[in-house]
Amino acid sequence: MSLIWLEAVLPLGIIAGMLCVMGNAQYYIHKAAHGRPKHIGNDMWDVAMERRDKKLIEKLSAADASQ
């Protein structure tokens, strides 16, 4: 009688497993589509810094190519 809680473990384990599978599927699909993991909490500041970094890298690579 004291092991009746074990009846709930199997369905909870299935639910937890499916949540993990769905989360990992989203991660790998996004990584395959964009080539890098998703940036969590990406706000306007992060977007602006990514654009700035991309411009700086392009300028540096153009300067290296011209030398």
Side-chain angles (χ1 to χ4, degrees), residues 48-60:
M49 291 298 105
E50 286 178 6
R51 286 185 190 145
R52 182 204 61 154
D53 293 344
K54 187 176 180 181
K55 286 180 186 177
L56 288 173
I57 290 170
E58 288 173 356
K59 285 182 184 178
L60 286 173

Side-chain angles (χ1 to χ4, degrees), residues 30 36-43 46 50:
H30 182 87
R36 60 189 172 133
K38 185 176 182 181
H39 184 145
I40 304 299
N42 206 12
D43 60 0
D46 294 325
E50 286 178 6

